Amino acid sequence: YRAKNNRNSVSLYRSEMEMDYLRQLVVEQRLRLALTDKHLHMVYQPQVDNEGLVVGLEALVRWQDEELGAVSPQEFVGVAEQSGLMLSLGHFVLDTSLKEYAELREKLGHGLDLAINISVIQFEQPQFVKEVMHLLHTHQVPPQELVLEITESLVMTNVDQVLNTIKRLQDQGIRLSMDDFGTGFSSLSLLRDLPLNELKVDKSFVDSMLDDPRAANMIRSIIFIAQSHAMDVVVEGVELQAQAEKLMSMGCRRFQGYYFSRPERLERILEICTQDSRGMPFKAH
Ligand code: C2E
Ligand code: MG
Ligand code: MG
Ligand code: MG
């Protein structure tokens, strides 16, 4: 079915589409159950500064299903968005992350940045700002510590409404970050139109930066653009010491990636945050 123009392959191609559709139905059905039975959980990936200190966390949702095994968030977030489950999934993510983060914060004795991924479906919800403020209040988390990550696809639909929501969130002290920056079709016009607080350089640039000068130059340019708009930069997907060192020399001050830490459960994050890593920058955990 790889050669789609081969006449004999047509039926195979079609059945692959049918398989995708069946898979989507099953995932939707199981996800519905997982949401009611709370069979999902959150993990957190540290963001470190140039001294190797943990300064932030990105919350990432996980689902281990009894029948399907581990399903990737890429897959089930997509299914949730297409099947009306995203608001319920999004609420679970916000509520659980803020609750667990509040616990961590209490034990640490200080705050960090907590980054949470937000789907376009949530963002377009008229009640969204209210929901977030309510949950911050419930879990006693200062809005100044919350960073909401949005993606470019979100803005394609309705710039005015998105701009309005961003401003209302920022009025409350919440920061907005553009995830996977540089991979979309309209990265620059988006920067022109939206008052974002942070850019996250996509992993694909980091993947090729050591071999491809063009990728490295793109990262340099993104850092420059961010600095000239008074935005923070986080580089994600840092897997190697050589990448971290080169990024440092380019002026990056905030890193996220397997080289520093994989996403972990809250208990492990507490251990990582309390072990003093000062003086050993770029030491993998
Ligand atoms: P993202 O927001 O860009 O998250 C970063 C992804 O890169 C995470 O994958 C993380 O585990 C992975 N990653 C981080 N560092 C490295 C590295 O050094 N090497 C490699 N190979 N991977 C790294 P994950 O957790 O599978 O999430 C994938 C995507 O699913 C996320 O991309 C995000 O778009 C979406 N997602 C995850 N959790 C949530 C959520 O709670 N809500 C929403 N709306 N989307 C979510
Ligand atoms: Mg993200
Ligand atoms: Mg990303
Ligand atoms: Mg991504």
Side-chain angles (χ1 to χ4, degrees), residues 81 120 150-158 178 184 186 190:
E81 284 175 335
V120 55
I150 58 178
T151 54
E152 287 184 34
S153 62
L154 186 143
V155 192
M156 311 289 282
T157 45
N158 188 346
M178 183 59 53
S186 55
L190 204 140

Side-chain angles (χ1 to χ4, degrees), residues 74 180 202 236:
Q74 214 106 286
D180 306 332
D202 191 63
E236 64 180 347

Side-chain angles (χ1 to χ4, degrees), residues 38-71:
K38 298 250 154 74
H39 280 165
L40 301 150
H41 69 272
M42 301 305 299
V43 289
Y44 303 87
Q45 187 173 35
Q47 294 178 351
V48 305
D49 69 6
N50 49 340
E51 291 180 35
L53 281 178
V54 178
V55 287
L57 299 171
E58 178 175 4
L60 296 157
V61 66
R62 293 291 179 264
W63 174 26
Q64 179 73 40
D65 186 68
E66 282 168 9
E67 280 178 21
L68 301 173
V71 185

Side-chain angles (χ1 to χ4, degrees), residues 44-58 101 104 108 110-114 253-256 260-262 268-278 280 283 285:
Y44 303 87
Q45 187 173 35
Q47 294 178 351
V48 305
D49 69 6
N50 49 340
E51 291 180 35
L53 281 178
V54 178
V55 287
L57 299 171
E58 178 175 4
Y101 171 71
L104 177 86
L108 277 179
H110 63 86
L112 301 166
D113 288 340
L114 174 69
R253 291 294 174 263
R254 207 181 247 250
F255 310 84
Q256 185 181 336
F260 301 98
S261 173
R262 288 184 178 253
R268 178 72 192 118
I269 292 293
L270 182 65
E271 288 175 13
I272 292 171
C273 290
T274 45
Q275 84 199 16
D276 189 3
S277 58
R278 235 170 312 209
M280 357 183 269
K283 265 272 168 76
H285 292 289

Side-chain angles (χ1 to χ4, degrees), residues 57-111:
L57 299 171
E58 178 175 4
L60 296 157
V61 66
R62 293 291 179 264
W63 174 26
Q64 179 73 40
D65 186 68
E66 282 168 9
E67 280 178 21
L68 301 173
V71 185
S72 82
Q74 214 106 286
E75 180 176 15
F76 69 82
V77 167
V79 169
E81 284 175 335
Q82 285 168 34
S83 62
L85 292 173
M86 193 57 229
L87 290 181
S88 155
L89 174 60
H91 182 82
F92 170 85
V93 166
L94 277 166
D95 186 38
T96 309
S97 316
L98 287 170
K99 185 180 79 201
E100 294 193 333
Y101 171 71
E103 210 181 302
L104 177 86
R105 195 177 181 279
E106 176 91 13
K107 288 180 178 156
L108 277 179
H110 63 86

Side-chain angles (χ1 to χ4, degrees), residues 2-186:
R2 276 168 210 277
K4 285 176 206 159
N5 49 359
N6 177 336
R7 206 170 281 234
N8 296 328
S9 68
V10 169
S11 64
L12 273 170
Y13 181 63
R14 187 180 292 151
S15 77
E16 189 190 271
M17 284 176 61
E18 282 164 5
M19 296 271 286
D20 286 351
Y21 180 66
L22 284 177
R23 166 79 185 178
Q24 193 170 328
L25 282 183
V26 175
V27 169
E28 178 186 332
Q29 201 173 40
R30 298 294 305 173
L31 182 60
R32 206 176 289 277
L33 290 175
L35 280 165
T36 19
D37 300 346
K38 298 250 154 74
H39 280 165
L40 301 150
H41 69 272
M42 301 305 299
V43 289
Y44 303 87
Q45 187 173 35
Q47 294 178 351
V48 305
D49 69 6
N50 49 340
E51 291 180 35
L53 281 178
V54 178
V55 287
L57 299 171
E58 178 175 4
L60 296 157
V61 66
R62 293 291 179 264
W63 174 26
Q64 179 73 40
D65 186 68
E66 282 168 9
E67 280 178 21
L68 301 173
V71 185
S72 82
Q74 214 106 286
E75 180 176 15
F76 69 82
V77 167
V79 169
E81 284 175 335
Q82 285 168 34
S83 62
L85 292 173
M86 193 57 229
L87 290 181
S88 155
L89 174 60
H91 182 82
F92 170 85
V93 166
L94 277 166
D95 186 38
T96 309
S97 316
L98 287 170
K99 185 180 79 201
E100 294 193 333
Y101 171 71
E103 210 181 302
L104 177 86
R105 195 177 181 279
E106 176 91 13
K107 288 180 178 156
L108 277 179
H110 63 86
L112 301 166
D113 288 340
L114 174 69
I116 302 181
N117 293 285
I118 302 298
S119 155
V120 55
I121 311 262
Q122 294 169 274
F123 217 78
E124 283 176 344
Q125 188 70 359
Q127 299 295 309
F128 180 66
V129 180
K130 230 185 194 174
E131 180 192 8
V132 173
M133 291 315 294
H134 172 73
L135 288 172
L136 284 167
H137 182 77
T138 303
H139 300 299
Q140 289 295 294
V141 173
Q144 289 75 12
E145 291 171 20
L146 181 62
V147 179
L148 299 181
E149 294 191 7
I150 58 178
T151 54
E152 287 184 34
S153 62
L154 186 143
V155 192
M156 311 289 282
T157 45
N158 188 346
V159 181
D160 288 342
Q161 199 202 325
V162 168
L163 179 61
N164 181 268
T165 306
I166 288 179
K167 283 181 176 159
R168 280 161 58 223
L169 289 163
Q170 288 175 332
D171 282 346
Q172 302 289 337
I174 296 166
R175 280 166 292 158
L176 274 295
S177 176
M178 183 59 53
D179 205 350
D180 306 332
F181 185 75
T183 58
F185 292 108
S186 55

